[in-house]
Amino acid sequence: MNIKYCQWTFRLSVALLGTLLAVPVLSAPRTPIDDASVIERLPFRASDSRSRALADLRANVLKAPEDTSASVALAQAYFDLALARGDPRYVGYADAIVTRFGTRMDAELLMVRGMLRQYRHDFAAALADFAAVLMLDPDRAGAHAWRGAIYLVEAQYANAREECAALLRLQRPVLHGGCAGLAQAYTGQLAGAYATLQQALALTYADDQRLWLLTRLGEVAAWQGQSAKAERHYREALALGQDDGYLLAAWADFLLDNRRPTEVVKLLASWEASDGLLLRLAEAEAALQLPAASAHIQALDDRFAAAKLRGDTTHRAEEARFQLRLRKNPAQAVELAAANYMVQKEPRDLRILLESALAAGDGKAAQAARDWLQRTGFEDARLRALAAQTLQLPTSTNKSGGTP
């Protein structure tokens, strides 16, 4: 079992966000005149060792273009960068490397292609790739872990638990704890989820895994209404000193929920390239009425428009939030949130759907979220309060609506 698959798995939630659009669109598009033309050099810190590591990996691929191990290593490095920085261009680079092999895919390449496909929310194709991996290597824990994570996003909890059980059977207790803990969290067992995630945390000294588990512990604690405990976990994760877009987004959301926008501005000032983080930065700036807010809102507007031109629909949850909170357009927001919910059904997806439906006065749109809460027993008081409010909306649908 390649340890990197564990790291990929623990970053899956970031990938599943899939909304961090960072393609700059403020300038006019242009076509390179030849293959050697440099369109843009992506930013690296002068001291960033990853720049040197990437150069070495690229050199390895150039020396042996048919060597699948070299290509997988480079594609993996690009994918990790996409997750850490919220920049999907690295996913495009990884995709280009993998696509060169056409149908000549071994298990390693199929794993990478599955990850890239789930990043773009092509969950059916991703699941097919991971199933193909398991046909070649039934003990590949990473494939089970990714399948479990996708099933969690799709709210297919029975299927997710089967994948969690496979991880336990393969004696991967940390992966199993992460998988099973989230399954518990989403199905009305927050206390049990917290305990399971803590047990998994106690089993690992790997920073990537600890960062992911601490972040999810922070989320679970916040859903339990235990803000002090949540903040402690987020700060422990931040103290590991790793770039991680998902952690920054979760911590920024916690700060915004607790009316601490000044800290968000300080936290995300250098993360404008990531659209998901730029969205949170703009929200904080708008709350503080800072002049920078208008430019950042316009930048987000441009990026979402560019995504539409590309046919990219992976950003709908963030765009719904943008339309609701920054453009004050609840009708557009609820349309986007409902479309997103057809693909992703995690608590954050429920929340933007409920908030948008409430703002738009659309009780029918909120029905799907209320049904999810009733079916799963998810215990977050904030979501349940939002759902209860939507029951008051004047629609025929909510007259028979369930218990929020």
Side-chain angles (χ1 to χ4, degrees):
M1 176 64 190
N2 188 328
I3 189 63
K4 287 303 294 183
Y5 287 136
C6 299
Q7 296 171 359
W8 292 345
T9 302
F10 275 84
R11 290 174 176 273
L12 177 59
S13 292
V14 186
L16 289 173
L17 283 176
T19 55
L20 309 180
L21 315 174
V23 179
V25 295
L26 297 178
S27 57
R30 65 185 177 87
T31 302
I33 58 175
D34 56 52
D35 290 343
S37 297
V38 177
I39 300 173
E40 181 185 1
R41 293 191 185 282
L42 297 179
F44 281 100
R45 299 185 182 94
S47 60
D48 198 335
S49 61
R50 286 174 297 189
S51 176
R52 295 188 295 275
L54 273 179
D56 290 341
L57 292 170
R58 283 193 292 264
N60 292 340
V61 172
L62 287 173
K63 289 177 186 174
E66 296 303 313
D67 181 348
T68 57
S69 297
S71 292
V72 166
L74 180 57
Q76 170 191 312
Y78 281 138
F79 186 73
D80 287 346
L81 273 173
L83 301 189
R85 299 184 175 186
D87 190 334
R89 284 176 291 190
Y90 293 112
V91 170
Y93 302 156
D95 204 22
I97 294 167
V98 172
T99 302
R100 288 189 303 111
F101 289 89
T103 59
R104 296 172 292 124
M105 294 271 180
D106 60 14
E108 305 292 332
L109 284 166
L110 285 167
M111 279 294 301
V112 177
R113 191 174 70 175
M115 295 181 332
L116 299 174
R117 284 175 162 177
Q118 64 77 30
Y119 186 96
R120 295 193 170 96
H121 296 186
D122 189 355
F123 296 148
L127 287 169
D129 276 344
F130 296 134
V133 170
L134 291 172
M135 289 289 290
L136 296 169
D137 181 1
D139 292 337
R140 182 61 65 93
H144 285 295
W146 280 101
R147 284 163 59 89
I150 291 173
Y151 287 137
L152 285 172
V153 171
E154 293 184 328
Q156 298 188 52
Y157 302 117
N159 290 342
R161 290 190 189 97
E162 288 183 9
E163 303 299 336
C164 301
L167 293 169
L168 186 62
R169 188 170 62 251
L170 293 170
Q171 299 183 347
R172 305 304 298 267
V174 179
L175 286 177
H176 168 261
C179 181
L182 281 186
Q184 287 176 295
Y186 293 172
T187 54
Q189 304 170 66
L190 286 182
Y194 187 86
T196 301
L197 293 171
Q198 271 203 317
Q199 290 166 8
L201 181 66
L203 295 173
T204 180
Y205 293 100
D207 282 353
D208 276 9
Q209 294 183 350
R210 293 187 63 79
L211 184 147
W212 188 90
L213 288 164
L214 286 166
T215 304
R216 302 317 296 252
L217 279 166
E219 290 180 316
V220 170
W223 293 331
Q224 290 177 301
Q226 300 184 25
S227 296
K229 185 186 291 185
E231 179 161 353
R232 175 164 56 81
H233 288 311
Y234 285 133
R235 290 193 180 280
E236 288 172 338
L238 292 164
L240 292 171
Q242 295 193 6
D243 287 347
D244 190 278
Y246 187 87
L247 168 61
L248 291 173
W251 174 231
D253 284 345
F254 175 87
L255 294 173
L256 289 169
D257 283 343
N258 286 278
R259 305 189 180 197
R260 294 159 62 180
T262 302
E263 293 171 71
V264 176
V265 171
K266 183 178 179 181
L267 175 75
L268 302 181
S270 62
W271 287 88
E272 296 177 10
S274 165
D275 287 7
L277 299 182
L278 179 60
L279 171 64
R280 289 156 174 88
L281 175 62
E283 285 185 22
E285 291 168 339
L288 295 167
Q289 299 183 323
L290 297 180
S294 59
H296 286 154
I297 290 171
Q298 185 58 53
L300 286 164
D301 229 348
D302 292 340
R303 292 182 190 182
F304 287 129
K308 285 179 181 171
L309 289 175
R310 297 194 302 272
D312 182 347
T313 60
T314 60
H315 61 290
R316 285 182 292 208
E318 263 69 16
E319 188 176 3
R321 181 166 159 171
F322 171 73
Q323 291 293 341
L324 178 66
R325 299 186 183 181
L326 293 173
R327 283 301 187 199
K328 311 300 181 187
N329 186 350
Q332 182 68 25
V334 75
E335 182 178 331
L336 288 162
N340 173 68
Y341 182 79
M342 298 294 290
V343 180
Q344 301 188 101
K345 297 175 177 62
E346 289 195 289
R348 67 176 63 83
D349 305 304
L350 271 290
R351 177 172 172 178
I352 189 59
L353 178 56
L354 287 168
E355 289 180 343
S356 300
L358 198 60
D362 189 343
K364 184 177 181 180
Q367 184 66 54
R370 291 199 301 268
D371 290 345
W372 183 89
L373 282 168
Q374 188 172 26
R375 178 167 58 90
T376 65
F378 185 62
E379 298 172 299
D380 180 15
R382 184 196 304 271
L383 279 189
R384 291 199 160 265
L386 284 170
Q389 291 178 59
T390 65
L391 283 170
Q392 308 306 315
L393 297 176
T395 69
S396 58
T397 303
N398 66 21
K399 289 178 181 177
S400 59
T403 303

